Amino acid sequence: MNVELICVGTELLLGSIVNTNAAYLAEKCAALGLSCYFQTVVGDNEERLSQVLRTAMERADIVILSGGLGPTEDDLTKETVAKVCGRKMELHEPSKKAIEKFFADKESQATDNNWKQAMLPEGSLVLENHNGTAPGIILETGDAKLILLPGPPGELQPMFEEGVVPYLAELTSQAICSQTVKICGVGESRAETMVKDMIEKQTNPTIATYARPGEVHIRVTANAGDRKTAAKLIKPIVKELKNRFGNYIYTTDVNTTLEKSVADLAKANGLTITCAESCTGGLLSARLVNIPGISDIYKSGVVTYSNKAKRRFLGVKKSTLQKYGAVSEKTAEEMAKGASVMLKADVAAAVTGIAGPEGGTPEKPVGLVYIACHVKGKTTVREYRFFGNRSQIRESAVSAALSLMRECILVYYSKVTFGKGES
Amino acid sequence: MNVELICVGTELLLGSIVNTNAAYLAEKCAALGLSCYFQTVVGDNEERLSQVLRTAMERADIVILSGGLGPTEDDLTKETVAKVCGRKMELHEPSKKAIEKFFADKESQATDNNWKQAMLPEGSLVLENHNGTAPGIILETGDAKLILLPGPPGELQPMFEEGVVPYLAELTSQAICSQTVKICGVGESRAETMVKDMIEKQTNPTIATYARPGEVHIRVTANAGDRKTAAKLIKPIVKELKNRFGNYIYTTDVNTTLEKSVADLAKANGLTITCAESCTGGLLSARLVNIPGISDIYKSGVVTYSNKAKRRFLGVKKSTLQKYGAVSEKTAEEMAKGASVMLKADVAAAVTGIAGPEGGTPEKPVGLVYIACHVKGKTTVREYRFFGNRSQIRESAVSAALSLMRECILVYYSKVTFGKGES
């Protein structure tokens, strides 16, 4: 079965916003085993939307449209779909009630145009919107199944999870089962090489790799007559991936992030953590602090951008800075040790490097970063060479630091070994 | 004149990457005064790409294709374009030499398939690639002008700026002139209301608003027979915007960010800056540190997530924390004052708030954030109520903090007044 995406919105055509809905929907559909050959963006214009919709209905079994369900005059996705499919618009009472309730809960009043959102093409299957006022719609026509979703990601995503995934799973009459294996500390090209043979002979399950900053995700997807069989098909593949990547796999749970896995590991071992950052300038702390409830283990961190700050807040020796420079293995080591003592944490990560664009030399080029991790008296330091612009180098350094924290905690507390990976 | 975008890449169809190229190209084309009605994503597949390309060539004057110019077998954009346009592929000697030089500079060897990148459709205008090996191409056919660009944004964007913008400007035989007015400290809906009348009566120049986290950008674009006339058309509109938004406009230079404007202001007044962060957890420092050369004015910062850390590193009084709580006007004030003293900076910003999803109460709900800025003995504190998830609340707080830093420095050193805005 194949699916086609149509994202409706003038703001997409003007480049005012990035089309994250397309990426979200495409990834979800791929995970459901649906093939997608085309994505189209079109404005809030009846004629052009009709044209695009007719083409998509000829080519695809399922067409997912996002955007244009709102209350304003500009929003005409529903009306256009109704016209193309020869359906009348009719008032949907439960949607009207839901809109009334939405505004009552917010202690505010619906404006006249809000009721437009309760007018739906006849024969619509309604998808409730728990995060906004525009309901979603599934419309089955002779040619294709049409799925209409609201544009805001905060409304589209939960609606897709709750209402569309079960519908598509039943529609494909195939049970789809997928699992994501998340890897850190292994470069993208190396990871791809390590699974090339598996990808080449894949049919069912399929194996796809996704590069994320400092990480690689491998998704294994199987389909079968029932869920149990599909789940069974996945097992040996995931097992083989575990064999190949060993401890570099930080999770097989799609919702767990790298920073979450570090935090969970620290919590499980009763450890507090801290960060001392130079070139990343707070980005490492910021990623950890994005985890709800991090206050249990993260109390404070420092950004020590100047040499003086490195000495004052972390106790880095003047002689070290003079002899080796701020960007050196020795400075990184003293930063991590000092952070552990002065910020009173069991685990301390330190980052110092040259993020560019200026400041590089032939000996210490832009992209050179030293990352240290101190765990209970033992400090591990690594040298990295990152590519890209200032922002990319800093992002890469943050991921590498999280990866190193994870490794050091595991080595110290779980006595595991790391071998096959690379930085 | 109208333009259509075709982004080629299986990774886009799978949702492995977000289509930032489409947003970039769309925004640039809009700034050049070109209308864009359709964007399409298609995989590396000859038949489907041909189909999409033919449709686009029928509808548009200019078709911009991105992706699929690389050296592998999968990359077939050039070959498909040549077939559709009835052109032969031929070796382009200067491109071959450029590829040789690229690898010589990197002290590495081109592989056999790299030479595929020097094979171009006959009659190609070549766009040099200074950031990779695949040259870009402009191909003028009877039906449409085709522009082929490499997929990686780091190659596509400079190539577009250097080679495509001048070409399109000449092609439209219209001089396009645009200016972006960037505003902080004024909410999106309020900013839109403030220019609604101007937008409604716009023809030339056109006025478009773009919401960015914590900011609003207004772009004014005029076209005329020559650049001077176009520039003249813009002037009164920009002047009117300056009248309406006053000091809330932080720049009219499209390349200046809010953090850069704060840093420039601090530099101009010979001030050092620091940050003391609770709920933003390093994000404010990280944004400042993303500015190259920030080390002149930013030396250090702290993340004080726990109450103990607020006391120890910032000297916040125990009694203040007990009486008012960590998320309070008084705590924010003491954090900023303390940061200024203990981190030895002229300007200190402090952020404390409830980012959620847990930790909210009826009196102090999720989204409540206090931001303080201390400038030479005077501390200004503001209360904010932000919406969204944990990450969005933290992003909004960072922008508000930058905006407040800018305001406080301006009020103290330039004696300007702020009036019409809102937080």
Side-chain angles (χ1 to χ4, degrees), chain B residues 68-91:
Chain B
L69 300 187
T72 72
E73 294 274 320
D74 290 349
D75 296 303
L76 39 74
T77 302
K78 270 185 316 193
E79 292 75 5
T80 306
V81 164
K83 268 194 197 164
V84 169
C85 301
R87 305 282 177 104
K88 278 191 209 129
M89 295 294 282
E90 57 185 23
L91 182 71

PDB file of all heavy atoms in Angstrom, chain B residues 68-91:
ATOM      1  N   GLY B  68      20.470  14.887  -5.147  1.00  0.00           N
ATOM      2  CA  GLY B  68      20.688  13.890  -6.198  1.00  0.00           C
ATOM      3  C   GLY B  68      21.795  14.235  -7.173  1.00  0.00           C
ATOM      4  O   GLY B  68      21.848  13.705  -8.280  1.00  0.00           O
ATOM      5  N   LEU B  69      22.733  15.135  -6.771  1.00  0.00           N
ATOM      6  CA  LEU B  69      23.854  15.471  -7.651  1.00  0.00           C
ATOM      7  C   LEU B  69      25.139  14.747  -7.236  1.00  0.00           C
ATOM      8  O   LEU B  69      26.197  14.953  -7.831  1.00  0.00           O
ATOM      9  CB  LEU B  69      24.123  16.987  -7.634  1.00  0.00           C
ATOM     10  CG  LEU B  69      23.012  17.916  -8.089  1.00  0.00           C
ATOM     11  CD1 LEU B  69      23.525  19.349  -8.165  1.00  0.00           C
ATOM     12  CD2 LEU B  69      22.460  17.499  -9.450  1.00  0.00           C
ATOM     13  N   GLY B  70      25.061  13.925  -6.223  1.00  0.00           N
ATOM     14  CA  GLY B  70      26.258  13.282  -5.659  1.00  0.00           C
ATOM     15  C   GLY B  70      26.866  12.230  -6.567  1.00  0.00           C
ATOM     16  O   GLY B  70      26.419  12.022  -7.698  1.00  0.00           O
ATOM     17  N   PRO B  71      27.901  11.565  -6.067  1.00  0.00           N
ATOM     18  CA  PRO B  71      28.670  10.652  -6.887  1.00  0.00           C
ATOM     19  C   PRO B  71      28.119   9.219  -6.979  1.00  0.00           C
ATOM     20  O   PRO B  71      28.581   8.439  -7.794  1.00  0.00           O
ATOM     21  CB  PRO B  71      30.035  10.635  -6.191  1.00  0.00           C
ATOM     22  CG  PRO B  71      29.726  10.913  -4.759  1.00  0.00           C
ATOM     23  CD  PRO B  71      28.490  11.771  -4.741  1.00  0.00           C
ATOM     24  N   THR B  72      27.126   8.873  -6.161  1.00  0.00           N
ATOM     25  CA  THR B  72      26.718   7.463  -6.145  1.00  0.00           C
ATOM     26  C   THR B  72      25.715   7.141  -7.249  1.00  0.00           C
ATOM     27  O   THR B  72      25.130   8.031  -7.870  1.00  0.00           O
ATOM     28  CB  THR B  72      26.110   7.056  -4.787  1.00  0.00           C
ATOM     29  OG1 THR B  72      24.821   7.654  -4.684  1.00  0.00           O
ATOM     30  CG2 THR B  72      26.975   7.508  -3.627  1.00  0.00           C
ATOM     31  N   GLU B  73      25.526   5.850  -7.440  1.00  0.00           N
ATOM     32  CA  GLU B  73      24.579   5.327  -8.436  1.00  0.00           C
ATOM     33  C   GLU B  73      23.169   5.880  -8.218  1.00  0.00           C
ATOM     34  O   GLU B  73      22.425   6.115  -9.160  1.00  0.00           O
ATOM     35  CB  GLU B  73      24.489   3.799  -8.304  1.00  0.00           C
ATOM     36  CG  GLU B  73      25.761   3.048  -8.646  1.00  0.00           C
ATOM     37  CD  GLU B  73      25.845   2.765 -10.137  1.00  0.00           C
ATOM     38  OE1 GLU B  73      24.805   2.432 -10.725  1.00  0.00           O
ATOM     39  OE2 GLU B  73      26.946   2.900 -10.705  1.00  0.00           O
ATOM     40  N   ASP B  74      22.825   6.052  -6.949  1.00  0.00           N
ATOM     41  CA  ASP B  74      21.485   6.537  -6.592  1.00  0.00           C
ATOM     42  C   ASP B  74      21.210   7.946  -7.101  1.00  0.00           C
ATOM     43  O   ASP B  74      20.064   8.319  -7.298  1.00  0.00           O
ATOM     44  CB  ASP B  74      21.339   6.599  -5.057  1.00  0.00           C
ATOM     45  CG  ASP B  74      21.281   5.225  -4.438  1.00  0.00           C
ATOM     46  OD1 ASP B  74      21.135   4.254  -5.197  1.00  0.00           O
ATOM     47  OD2 ASP B  74      21.381   5.129  -3.208  1.00  0.00           O
ATOM     48  N   ASP B  75      22.284   8.744  -7.228  1.00  0.00           N
ATOM     49  CA  ASP B  75      22.096  10.143  -7.575  1.00  0.00           C
ATOM     50  C   ASP B  75      21.847  10.281  -9.069  1.00  0.00           C
ATOM     51  O   ASP B  75      22.748  10.053  -9.874  1.00  0.00           O
ATOM     52  CB  ASP B  75      23.337  10.943  -7.169  1.00  0.00           C
ATOM     53  CG  ASP B  75      23.544  10.942  -5.662  1.00  0.00           C
ATOM     54  OD1 ASP B  75      22.616  11.364  -4.958  1.00  0.00           O
ATOM     55  OD2 ASP B  75      24.608  10.509  -5.206  1.00  0.00           O
ATOM     56  N   LEU B  76      20.618  10.650  -9.459  1.00  0.00           N
ATOM     57  CA  LEU B  76      20.317  10.644 -10.889  1.00  0.00           C
ATOM     58  C   LEU B  76      19.539  11.866 -11.339  1.00  0.00           C
ATOM     59  O   LEU B  76      18.881  11.852 -12.375  1.00  0.00           O
ATOM     60  CB  LEU B  76      19.590   9.348 -11.272  1.00  0.00           C
ATOM     61  CG  LEU B  76      18.543   8.793 -10.307  1.00  0.00           C
ATOM     62  CD1 LEU B  76      17.288   9.620 -10.347  1.00  0.00           C
ATOM     63  CD2 LEU B  76      18.242   7.356 -10.633  1.00  0.00           C
ATOM     64  N   THR B  77      19.630  12.945 -10.562  1.00  0.00           N
ATOM     65  CA  THR B  77      18.896  14.162 -10.930  1.00  0.00           C
ATOM     66  C   THR B  77      19.382  14.725 -12.273  1.00  0.00           C
ATOM     67  O   THR B  77      18.577  15.007 -13.171  1.00  0.00           O
ATOM     68  CB  THR B  77      19.032  15.231  -9.821  1.00  0.00           C
ATOM     69  OG1 THR B  77      18.541  14.693  -8.596  1.00  0.00           O
ATOM     70  CG2 THR B  77      18.252  16.495 -10.166  1.00  0.00           C
ATOM     71  N   LYS B  78      20.707  14.871 -12.411  1.00  0.00           N
ATOM     72  CA  LYS B  78      21.283  15.431 -13.654  1.00  0.00           C
ATOM     73  C   LYS B  78      20.897  14.606 -14.867  1.00  0.00           C
ATOM     74  O   LYS B  78      20.497  15.137 -15.903  1.00  0.00           O
ATOM     75  CB  LYS B  78      22.820  15.394 -13.556  1.00  0.00           C
ATOM     76  CG  LYS B  78      23.439  16.606 -12.973  1.00  0.00           C
ATOM     77  CD  LYS B  78      24.958  16.528 -13.033  1.00  0.00           C
ATOM     78  CE  LYS B  78      25.530  15.188 -12.625  1.00  0.00           C
ATOM     79  NZ  LYS B  78      26.984  15.229 -12.386  1.00  0.00           N
ATOM     80  N   GLU B  79      21.069  13.285 -14.722  1.00  0.00           N
ATOM     81  CA  GLU B  79      20.811  12.370 -15.832  1.00  0.00           C
ATOM     82  C   GLU B  79      19.337  12.422 -16.236  1.00  0.00           C
ATOM     83  O   GLU B  79      18.999  12.420 -17.423  1.00  0.00           O
ATOM     84  CB  GLU B  79      21.200  10.937 -15.427  1.00  0.00           C
ATOM     85  CG  GLU B  79      22.704  10.714 -15.223  1.00  0.00           C
ATOM     86  CD  GLU B  79      23.275  11.292 -13.915  1.00  0.00           C
ATOM     87  OE1 GLU B  79      22.496  11.803 -13.086  1.00  0.00           O
ATOM     88  OE2 GLU B  79      24.507  11.239 -13.735  1.00  0.00           O
ATOM     89  N   THR B  80      18.459  12.502 -15.232  1.00  0.00           N
ATOM     90  CA  THR B  80      17.026  12.544 -15.518  1.00  0.00           C
ATOM     91  C   THR B  80      16.651  13.865 -16.189  1.00  0.00           C
ATOM     92  O   THR B  80      15.884  13.880 -17.162  1.00  0.00           O
ATOM     93  CB  THR B  80      16.228  12.356 -14.212  1.00  0.00           C
ATOM     94  OG1 THR B  80      16.673  11.155 -13.592  1.00  0.00           O
ATOM     95  CG2 THR B  80      14.745  12.273 -14.485  1.00  0.00           C
ATOM     96  N   VAL B  81      17.208  14.958 -15.681  1.00  0.00           N
ATOM     97  CA  VAL B  81      16.953  16.267 -16.288  1.00  0.00           C
ATOM     98  C   VAL B  81      17.402  16.257 -17.750  1.00  0.00           C
ATOM     99  O   VAL B  81      16.683  16.715 -18.650  1.00  0.00           O
ATOM    100  CB  VAL B  81      17.665  17.388 -15.488  1.00  0.00           C
ATOM    101  CG1 VAL B  81      17.749  18.672 -16.288  1.00  0.00           C
ATOM    102  CG2 VAL B  81      16.955  17.625 -14.154  1.00  0.00           C
ATOM    103  N   ALA B  82      18.596  15.710 -18.001  1.00  0.00           N
ATOM    104  CA  ALA B  82      19.124  15.656 -19.368  1.00  0.00           C
ATOM    105  C   ALA B  82      18.171  14.886 -20.284  1.00  0.00           C
ATOM    106  O   ALA B  82      17.848  15.327 -21.392  1.00  0.00           O
ATOM    107  CB  ALA B  82      20.513  15.014 -19.368  1.00  0.00           C
ATOM    108  N   LYS B  83      17.677  13.755 -19.811  1.00  0.00           N
ATOM    109  CA  LYS B  83      16.757  12.941 -20.615  1.00  0.00           C
ATOM    110  C   LYS B  83      15.465  13.686 -20.915  1.00  0.00           C
ATOM    111  O   LYS B  83      15.007  13.738 -22.059  1.00  0.00           O
ATOM    112  CB  LYS B  83      16.430  11.627 -19.887  1.00  0.00           C
ATOM    113  CG  LYS B  83      17.358  10.492 -20.265  1.00  0.00           C
ATOM    114  CD  LYS B  83      16.822   9.152 -19.807  1.00  0.00           C
ATOM    115  CE  LYS B  83      17.968   8.139 -19.825  1.00  0.00           C
ATOM    116  NZ  LYS B  83      17.658   6.927 -19.057  1.00  0.00           N
ATOM    117  N   VAL B  84      14.888  14.274 -19.870  1.00  0.00           N
ATOM    118  CA  VAL B  84      13.615  14.983 -20.046  1.00  0.00           C
ATOM    119  C   VAL B  84      13.783  16.151 -21.029  1.00  0.00           C
ATOM    120  O   VAL B  84      12.900  16.433 -21.832  1.00  0.00           O
ATOM    121  CB  VAL B  84      13.070  15.478 -18.678  1.00  0.00           C
ATOM    122  CG1 VAL B  84      11.897  16.445 -18.852  1.00  0.00           C
ATOM    123  CG2 VAL B  84      12.635  14.285 -17.830  1.00  0.00           C
ATOM    124  N   CYS B  85      14.955  16.807 -20.988  1.00  0.00           N
ATOM    125  CA  CYS B  85      15.178  17.968 -21.858  1.00  0.00           C
ATOM    126  C   CYS B  85      15.842  17.594 -23.177  1.00  0.00           C
ATOM    127  O   CYS B  85      16.151  18.479 -23.993  1.00  0.00           O
ATOM    128  CB  CYS B  85      16.052  18.998 -21.135  1.00  0.00           C
ATOM    129  SG  CYS B  85      15.330  19.570 -19.593  1.00  0.00           S
ATOM    130  N   GLY B  86      16.093  16.320 -23.398  1.00  0.00           N
ATOM    131  CA  GLY B  86      16.723  15.885 -24.645  1.00  0.00           C
ATOM    132  C   GLY B  86      18.152  16.388 -24.817  1.00  0.00           C
ATOM    133  O   GLY B  86      18.563  16.759 -25.923  1.00  0.00           O
ATOM    134  N   ARG B  87      18.903  16.434 -23.728  1.00  0.00           N
ATOM    135  CA  ARG B  87      20.307  16.848 -23.786  1.00  0.00           C
ATOM    136  C   ARG B  87      21.220  15.647 -23.535  1.00  0.00           C
ATOM    137  O   ARG B  87      20.880  14.774 -22.740  1.00  0.00           O
ATOM    138  CB  ARG B  87      20.620  17.909 -22.707  1.00  0.00           C
ATOM    139  CG  ARG B  87      19.735  19.139 -22.730  1.00  0.00           C
ATOM    140  CD  ARG B  87      20.128  20.115 -23.815  1.00  0.00           C
ATOM    141  NE  ARG B  87      19.215  21.242 -23.855  1.00  0.00           N
ATOM    142  CZ  ARG B  87      19.501  22.455 -23.384  1.00  0.00           C
ATOM    143  NH1 ARG B  87      20.686  22.704 -22.865  1.00  0.00           N
ATOM    144  NH2 ARG B  87      18.605  23.428 -23.444  1.00  0.00           N
ATOM    145  N   LYS B  88      22.393  15.680 -24.196  1.00  0.00           N
ATOM    146  CA  LYS B  88      23.403  14.651 -23.926  1.00  0.00           C
ATOM    147  C   LYS B  88      24.180  15.011 -22.673  1.00  0.00           C
ATOM    148  O   LYS B  88      24.268  16.172 -22.300  1.00  0.00           O
ATOM    149  CB  LYS B  88      24.387  14.569 -25.098  1.00  0.00           C
ATOM    150  CG  LYS B  88      23.895  13.735 -26.257  1.00  0.00           C
ATOM    151  CD  LYS B  88      25.044  13.502 -27.242  1.00  0.00           C
ATOM    152  CE  LYS B  88      24.497  13.345 -28.645  1.00  0.00           C
ATOM    153  NZ  LYS B  88      25.135  14.188 -29.628  1.00  0.00           N
ATOM    154  N   MET B  89      24.830  14.037 -22.047  1.00  0.00           N
ATOM    155  CA  MET B  89      25.743  14.318 -20.929  1.00  0.00           C
ATOM    156  C   MET B  89      27.143  14.454 -21.510  1.00  0.00           C
ATOM    157  O   MET B  89      27.552  13.669 -22.357  1.00  0.00           O
ATOM    158  CB  MET B  89      25.727  13.165 -19.923  1.00  0.00           C
ATOM    159  CG  MET B  89      24.402  12.955 -19.213  1.00  0.00           C
ATOM    160  SD  MET B  89      23.933  14.309 -18.115  1.00  0.00           S
ATOM    161  CE  MET B  89      24.990  13.971 -16.691  1.00  0.00           C
ATOM    162  N   GLU B  90      27.885  15.463 -21.048  1.00  0.00           N
ATOM    163  CA  GLU B  90      29.252  15.619 -21.524  1.00  0.00           C
ATOM    164  C   GLU B  90      30.185  16.007 -20.384  1.00  0.00           C
ATOM    165  O   GLU B  90      29.760  16.557 -19.372  1.00  0.00           O
ATOM    166  CB  GLU B  90      29.305  16.656 -22.659  1.00  0.00           C
ATOM    167  CG  GLU B  90      28.756  18.019 -22.269  1.00  0.00           C
ATOM    168  CD  GLU B  90      28.710  19.009 -23.445  1.00  0.00           C
ATOM    169  OE1 GLU B  90      28.677  18.580 -24.609  1.00  0.00           O
ATOM    170  OE2 GLU B  90      28.724  20.214 -23.170  1.00  0.00           O
ATOM    171  N   LEU B  91      31.481  15.671 -20.580  1.00  0.00           N
ATOM    172  CA  LEU B  91      32.457  15.964 -19.526  1.00  0.00           C
ATOM    173  C   LEU B  91      32.709  17.465 -19.464  1.00  0.00           C
ATOM    174  O   LEU B  91      32.966  18.107 -20.478  1.00  0.00           O
ATOM    175  CB  LEU B  91      33.780  15.235 -19.795  1.00  0.00           C
ATOM    176  CG  LEU B  91      34.848  15.448 -18.706  1.00  0.00           C
ATOM    177  CD1 LEU B  91      34.476  14.716 -17.427  1.00  0.00           C
ATOM    178  CD2 LEU B  91      36.222  15.011 -19.194  1.00  0.00           C
TER     179      LEU B  91
END
